[in-house]
Amino acid sequence: MRYKVARMVTGMRGWQAGTVILALACGVGVRAQAPDGIPREFARTRAARISDLRYGLRFMLTPKAATVAGHEDLKFEVSGSGALWLDFREGTIASLSVNGTAAATKIENGHVELPEKALRVGENSVAIDFAAPVAAAGKAITRFEDKDDGSEYLYTLFVPMDAEMAFPCFDQPDLKGRFKLSVTAPTSWTVISNTAAGLRVGGRIGEHTTEFAETEPISTYLFAFAAGPFKKVHETAGLPGLYVRASKLAKAQSEAEEVQTVTQQGIDYLSKFFAQPFPFPKYDEVLIPGFAYGGMEHAGATFLREESVLFRTAPTHSDHLNRDILLLHELTHQWFGDLTTMRWFDDLWLKEGFAQYMAYQALDAIAPKENVWKRFYLSIKPGAYGIDATKGTTPIYQNIANLKDAKSAYGAIVYSKAPGVIKQLAFVLGEEKFRDGLRLYLKEHAYGNAEWSDLVGAFERVSGRKLQEWAAMWIRHRGMPQVDVQWSCDGAGKIDRFLLTQKDVLGEGGIWPIAMEVLLAYRDGKTDRIRADLAAERGELKEPIGKACPQFVFANDRDYAYGRFLLDERSRKTVVEQIGGIGDVFERALLWGSLWDGVREANFAPREFVEVTLRQLPGERDEEVAQSLIGHVTTGLHRYVSAEVRKQIVPGAEKTAAEQVENAEEKDFRIIWFRALRGLAESEEGRARLKELLSGKLTVPGVELRPLDRWTMVTALIALGDREAGAYLAAEQKRDSTGDGLKYAYVAQAARPDAATKKKYFDEYLHDAARPEDWIESSLGAFNYWNESELTEPYLRPALEALPQMKRERKIFFVLGWLNAFVGGQQSAGALAEMQEFLQSGAVDQDLQLKILEVMDELERTVKIRQRYP
Ligand SMILES: [Zn+2]
């Protein structure tokens, strides 16, 4: 080993002591032991010894087989001495040779040893014959069976450390390699990978081999292929390619051009903004049915969840914009993540935060009329504040001591808080300096790796500002501030006092440097805006003193700052009275958000919020604001108010929704009111409306409901215990027997309000390996339908106990989806007590404890709100 003892000790930050012994042991020539997972310091040491890495990979894909066979020729330069470990888990090795010498093929703890005596300083070559598992769920190579035409598709998904489940590799982001892939598959299959397919050559009858050009240096998690009877949706010269499975080709044709055009506009915009041309030789988007994420940014070949592009429900304008955000997010990653990659997953925010932020910035440039930053506030901020106010929150920079825990880094902190904080940073630096900092960072680390301090350093150099203290609070410290305003006016109608204060929401003593724009609002929509900086617990603002007394004030206009901004008592009263008439839609969205925060803080009655909202909603002319309000009303009714209050309010709400379904002027509003009706319908009358929609007696004028729209109504009828639910289910199964239809019927039946159903489904969740993961994931909400708490509470504890298994076996976002569904189904103090008891039992690791705390927060709020406003 190259490292001396002293260096190892200083490098021990967060690293397990057990690995030190291993490192020292190989230093003195004792046979090394395979580490558990990929510890950080193990990875650092390995990265320091290996360079010029090249993977030659050949996969033989056979339909229906439980494994794929592969051959690998690996070449790399080595420095220093000692054995090296390749990572490979769940597969088998038939032969292994290192520099021409046969070596043991034993896989220990997910690693294969390259023995010290076989390695040499300088160039090394390794040849391996191996086999890797393929399954419908739980493996790095997933099989999708298309029930519509009986065909089969295979695709890879390696992030964060599953490449090693598909082939032996150095599976860490800072060991970038050049990949040269060849795939043998049935002749009817098309294979898509990171680079363009070159030569296709025949082989055995019915098979052909596709050779791909060698990639640029990329991380293992960014290497990918997809294979099956994919079709390329029309070739438009100069636009990125779009692939779809054969059975969805006709459907994809109507969406393709928009998708390709937005993607191309994004490429043009980002190339200019980053001052870096598109970093890879080609770009394709591949639609994958049931894909575990919205998308995955493989270099040159983004995989997208088919359902995110080919809408399963009647889409609104806003749904199309959400799709564009997804396309632009994955596209941004080609620079932020793929060209320049975080060294380790503790800096996951570097790629996710910027992809999220830049997606909005790019959309703002492509579609300037869309009020994109209002969308950012409505889509991004609730998730961020939702986690950051909980005891389960973490800093943006998350300590990941071992890659096997990298899945835990994914969540609202990187996807929602990080872009929120980046927005604040862009406001602090100014747009130009912000852009120049990004350019410098990408230029200096092109095709390499970097850490957060490299980025902060780049911003410091271009702006001449010191950002270390800023970064220490926003990136290395957890939690967020609550900012309050105290103001008063004198007898002459002038402001005589204006005080801003901040407090740490979690009570952990944090003080953040905050830059914001304060709004003073007057009659007739007149406003005044004041830039304010607050870096202490309190600060008197001089600028407003002597100005005319406003009607209300709000401290985070335009949403530049990150934190909780509640309205003071006086402002809130005015806002509640006037909110429907506030003409500026961004401002209106922010004020509604602040009122809702008041509800969640248990200082504004949920009933009052719901009633005010239901009065204003029919007049709301912004689709996104209306959608967000409908969401709050539904949550308020299903969680926060008592059953009696709910029963008083629901009939009126159902009636409003049904009227709007028929009479709202714009189609998008008829669609969102249809969704509102489906979510709120509960009474006999409400259920009758759903049945009329299903039978065609009632229509949504100008809108053709899609299969999933119908299935969700069937699910609601089942969950609500409607007498005719069984008949509607049978009718729908007959009507839609497609592959999607089979999945939706499975989901709908999870909502059956009886104990036997719950038991059957829960057993399957834990033990049925053949059930596709997205079927299970989609059914969790139906299983835990809002009105079935009593039936599902017995599964709360078993669901918590199953967390380690879910973390091990499932894809990245599954654990949070699982927790949110099972905890989200509960509203009672008893369920809360059960969770607290489980936490105290210490049955799960610290990382899962944080996830539980994060999700439990909503249950704590629910209990608190219900107690405060019975
Ligand atoms: Zn991403």
Side-chain angles (χ1 to χ4, degrees), residues 295 297 329-330 333 351-352 355-356 415:
E297 70 274 16
H329 173 113
E330 303 307 340
H333 274 314
K351 77 181 185 78
E352 293 310 337
Q356 201 74 317
Y415 285 96

Side-chain angles (χ1 to χ4, degrees), residues 369-384:
K369 290 198 187 118
E370 293 294 347
N371 216 330
V372 165
W373 297 107
K374 172 208 63 182
R375 166 174 293 272
F376 181 91
Y377 167 72
L378 287 171
S379 313
I380 299 286
K381 290 295 189 80

